[in-house]
Amino acid sequence: MHFISKELEDYAANHSENEPELLAQLDKETHQKVLQPRMLSGHFQGRFLSMIAKLVRPIHILEIGTFTGYATLSLAEGLQPNGTLDTIDVNEELYDFQRKYFDLSPYGTQITQHVGSALDIIPELDKKYDLVFIDADKKNYSNYFELVIGKMNPGGIILSDNVLWSGKVIEEIKANDKSTIALDQYNKLLKEDPRVETILLPIRDGLTVSRVR
């Protein structure tokens, strides 16, 4: 679902910051070699993630769901010189693809890849984060939130992707549609949880910005 027309989306992208050449290459190779390339953040959302990261100026970033690393590198553009980015993905087959592009970027030494279940890995991370990006399996969004909220610095930002889920969240939700049910519950959690203040933006498939109080 396009929440605005394709023409307006293109206009917005064309009047936003240009896509870095390395990320354009990553996008192209993802579409050539990787299944489900639409999972990639892409130019417009990538520039949004970069802008948020540059405004936050994080020392530590956590990303849950790496895919091929497009969002990772976009977020890394805002890292402090002494900063780190931990990125978690369950798919070990994409590890080398990600690492190739991380090492071609200026941020390769700052990015640590973790392979496995984020539910197991997050509790083992001994850091306080300034910026978190959640873009993994939808049924666990609320679980990821509960795991990271205690690891956030006050004023930190939690970004959550795909929260409109192609518009399914405003349709009659089928009892067996676990992803949509989980996302609807997650959106309500972010709205009602006193630990954060939240705005949900209709960027691509929906992107929530939550500020930790």
Side-chain angles (χ1 to χ4, degrees):
M1 172 183 282
H2 286 280
F3 301 111
I4 61 175
S5 71
K6 182 65 164 59
E7 291 77 16
L8 277 176
E9 283 187 349
D10 290 342
Y11 184 89
N14 290 336
H15 290 81
S16 299
E17 190 70 15
N18 291 335
E19 181 180 40
E21 178 58 33
L22 180 63
L23 290 182
Q25 294 174 15
L26 192 163
D27 186 314
K28 182 178 180 180
E29 188 171 355
T30 297
H31 278 81
Q32 290 173 338
K33 298 181 179 179
V34 180
L35 293 174
Q36 296 182 298
R38 67 185 298 275
M39 291 172 58
L40 186 117
S41 289
H43 171 202
F44 184 66
Q45 184 173 333
R47 290 307 86 205
F48 180 81
L49 297 176
S50 170
M51 181 68 75
I52 292 293
K54 288 170 182 173
L55 290 170
V56 174
R57 303 180 72 244
I59 295 177
H60 298 305
I61 299 174
L62 172 62
E63 179 185 41
I64 305 170
T66 316
F67 192 47
T68 56
Y70 192 105
T72 320
L73 291 175
S74 299
L75 293 165
E77 293 175 24
L79 270 176
Q80 293 295 294
N82 63 332
T84 68
L85 194 161
D86 291 291
T87 186
I88 305 170
D89 203 278
V90 72
N91 187 356
E92 62 182 316
E93 293 180 1
L94 291 174
Y95 185 96
D96 291 339
F97 186 109
Q98 300 158 5
R99 178 47 60 185
K100 178 178 75 171
Y101 280 94
F102 295 163
D103 289 343
L104 287 171
S105 79
Y107 319 108
T109 59
Q110 295 174 275
I111 298 172
T112 300
Q113 295 160 277
H114 304 268
V115 178
S117 168
L119 297 175
D120 297 328
I121 293 169
I122 293 170
E124 301 299 320
L125 298 174
D126 187 21
K127 293 178 184 176
K128 283 287 189 178
Y129 291 97
D130 307 294
L131 182 59
V132 170
F133 183 42
I134 301 175
D135 186 17
D137 57 311
K138 312 312 166 192
K139 69 179 185 297
N140 275 312
Y141 267 35
S142 294
N143 293 326
Y144 296 144
F145 174 82
E146 294 295 348
L147 286 174
V148 302
I149 189 68
K151 294 178 177 288
M152 299 294 299
N153 284 315
I157 298 294
I158 300 172
L159 303 169
S160 309
D161 200 15
N162 305 116
V163 291
L164 293 179
W165 207 226
S166 298
K168 292 180 181 179
V169 290
I170 61 170
E171 299 171 356
E172 183 177 351
I173 302 175
K174 298 177 181 178
N176 62 351
D177 189 349
K178 295 182 179 179
S179 292
T180 305
I181 292 170
L183 284 170
D184 186 51
Q185 292 172 343
Y186 179 65
N187 292 337
K188 291 173 182 174
L189 167 65
L190 293 183
K191 168 67 175 174
E192 297 169 0
D193 196 307
R195 295 173 291 180
V196 293
E197 52 185 313
T198 292
I199 183 167
L200 196 162
L201 303 172
I203 294 176
R204 290 188 77 230
D205 198 23
L207 183 68
T208 302
V209 182
S210 301
R211 178 182 178 273
V212 179
R213 297 183 191 273

